[in-house]
Amino acid sequence: MSDLGFQLPAVIGFLAALGRLPGLLRNPHDPLLRAVVAFLLTTSGAFFLGAVPMIAKVNAATGVPNFSVPLGHAMLMASSGAGIVLIINWRGGPPASIRRATRRALGCYGAVGLALVGLFLLGEAPVERLRDFDTHYATTPYLREMTLLLLAAHTAAALVMYSLCRRWLREVTGELRVGLALMVTGHWCTVGHAVWTFAAVAARWAGTDCDFLSTHVARPLGRVASSLVICGFVLPLLAQRFAGPWRDWSGYRRLGPLARLLTGLTPATTTVRMPLFSCLGVRRLQRESNIHDGLLTLNPYFDLALRAAALDAALAGGADAEDAAAVADAAMVTAAVRALRADPERCVIAHTRALQDDPGGCRDLVRTSRALSRLPTAARPGLRVGGRSAADGSTP
């Protein structure tokens, strides 16, 4: 019997918690990290315990019919309290205020969890119910109160989380905004889950059978709600985790054309060999360093008049200021490389006593590198400066 709607989000949450665990071990007193790991673990636990196969296994292992019910309810309350604590710490504020709010949330939902277990122990539930415990025992003393307390506490947590996330949603952008939007939707679905469950329970009180509202409407809605909440939370974490390496890789790759153009311009003894498993950030820095060394070697060959003409041509062609500057830099660098290679004895360098003034270009290496592929079109091949083309970078 499979219940992937619960099991898959549980696995996602557990893996996300493992990913944050090394940071927590390094900074065990960080309240935000503690809240993150606690929320992920408790939410994953609530998912695992809510899956029908796990419900049956827990009941069979303990020998107590429906033992998984108070266990799952207590884990759900732990998840609700941890979620509120997480949002409190995530938003930030005065430390004293954060500590007070954290204590209130943990105290409240800890007490509710204990009350749910106590009500289950006081009630009688001899028949195992895997999917419809709430409606089957809707009129049983103590178990009835347990269901009402669970719905009230879970709905209150969802409304608090909805309100906090909705207010914060207006203040952020990017992947955090997307994550919060998913969480807002998920918490609103949680309220819907509680409403439909209560409707099914109330129908039992009225002497009618509307259990399908609980099993076929509320339960699937609960799966969707919880999945949206955990995905909305994990998304910013994943973005934060991979944003840095992605920027390093993207920058390293985009610098490739410029790095290859300048290869071999500096003495081989100045090139530093990178270890095979060097991180992307180090590789990008090394590539930038090599490019700067190559540009320093080319400096005596830079033709500022050619750059100015290429800049005017790019601007006239409709390019914005930054793209036009990158195209002009690419034209100037390409011409300088050809001039240097046409001067194998390095006569220009030997007779140059000082570097030229900063031409104002090559400040954005990535743009300049990308502009190399657009150079023939963007720099207007027909433009001539002093008998040479600004686009092809030919020298007299």
Side-chain angles (χ1 to χ4, degrees):
M1 186 165 26
S2 176
D3 206 348
L4 290 178
F6 283 90
Q7 294 169 346
L8 187 59
V11 171
I12 293 174
F14 183 70
L15 292 177
L18 287 181
R20 305 301 293 182
L21 195 57
L24 180 61
L25 294 177
R26 291 192 299 268
N27 304 284
H29 301 295
D30 188 325
L32 180 57
L33 277 176
R34 289 203 304 262
V36 167
V37 174
F39 175 74
L40 288 172
L41 290 179
T42 55
T43 303
S44 298
F47 270 118
F48 274 120
L49 294 173
V52 171
M54 187 57 63
I55 292 174
K57 290 179 181 179
V58 170
N59 293 339
T62 59
V64 178
N66 303 303
F67 182 85
S68 60
V69 172
L71 186 61
H73 287 359
M75 187 64 72
L76 187 59
M77 291 301 98
S79 173
S80 298
I84 293 176
V85 170
L86 173 61
I87 295 298
I88 291 170
N89 283 273
W90 212 352
R91 283 179 58 90
S97 176
I98 291 176
R99 285 193 295 270
R100 284 195 301 272
T102 297
R103 285 195 295 266
R104 290 195 193 102
L106 294 180
C108 177
Y109 280 89
V112 172
L114 292 175
L116 291 172
V117 174
L119 289 170
F120 177 82
L121 295 176
L122 291 172
E124 294 184 3
V127 180
E128 182 184 55
R129 309 300 299 185
L130 299 179
R131 296 178 183 273
D132 61 349
F133 179 91
D134 295 336
T135 52
H136 184 81
Y137 291 105
T139 58
T140 302
Y142 299 113
L143 300 183
R144 172 184 57 215
E145 287 75 12
M146 181 188 72
T147 298
L148 291 177
L149 178 60
L150 173 71
L151 292 175
H154 194 38
T155 303
L159 290 174
V160 169
M161 294 279 284
Y162 172 84
S163 176
L164 292 174
C165 292
R166 183 65 181 271
R167 288 203 300 266
W168 194 15
L169 184 65
R170 306 187 189 102
E171 305 171 8
V172 297
T173 58
E175 64 276 356
L176 182 55
R177 183 179 178 84
V178 175
L180 285 172
L182 290 174
M183 294 176 72
V184 164
T185 306
H187 289 305
W188 190 243
C189 291
T190 298
V191 175
H193 165 268
V195 169
W196 287 116
T197 302
F198 180 77
V201 171
R204 280 290 186 128
W205 295 346
T208 60
D209 186 347
C210 292
D211 290 3
F212 72 93
L213 294 177
S214 175
T215 56
H216 298 299
V217 179
R219 185 175 174 82
L221 190 58
R223 286 198 296 264
V224 172
S226 300
S227 299
L228 287 173
V229 170
I230 199 164
C231 289
F233 176 72
V234 170
L235 176 64
L237 295 181
L238 291 177
Q240 180 184 14
R241 174 66 179 84
F242 293 106
W246 172 254
R247 282 194 301 269
D248 289 333
W249 165 247
S250 179
Y252 179 83
R253 180 178 57 82
R254 292 176 179 180
L255 288 170
L258 184 57
R260 288 188 288 272
L261 178 65
L262 302 179
T263 297
L265 300 184
T266 56
T269 55
T270 64
T271 303
V272 178
R273 294 289 182 181
M274 296 296 298
L276 180 61
F277 297 105
S278 298
C279 67
L280 292 172
V282 173
R283 288 183 176 276
R284 176 178 178 173
L285 289 175
Q286 181 61 34
R287 176 163 278 187
E288 290 176 350
S289 177
N290 291 340
I291 290 174
H292 283 298
D293 289 343
L295 294 176
L296 189 63
T297 300
L298 286 177
N299 185 276
Y301 297 89
F302 284 157
D303 188 332
L304 304 187
L306 184 146
R307 181 186 186 279
L311 178 63
D312 291 339
L315 290 172
D320 60 34
E322 292 182 342
D323 284 341
V327 169
D329 293 336
M332 180 181 66
V333 170
T334 301
V337 169
R338 291 177 179 175
L340 184 146
R341 288 175 178 166
D343 181 24
E345 302 298 328
R346 302 295 194 265
C347 296
V348 173
I349 295 177
H351 292 87
T352 301
R353 297 182 178 275
L355 297 177
Q356 298 188 68
D357 293 336
D358 179 15
C362 298
R363 290 173 178 168
D364 191 330
L365 299 181
V366 171
R367 280 183 180 271
T368 302
S369 182
R370 296 179 65 186
L372 289 172
S373 62
R374 307 194 307 269
L375 188 58
T377 300
R380 292 195 176 185
L383 180 65
R384 313 292 295 182
V385 182
R388 56 189 178 277
S389 169
D392 62 20
S394 59
T395 57

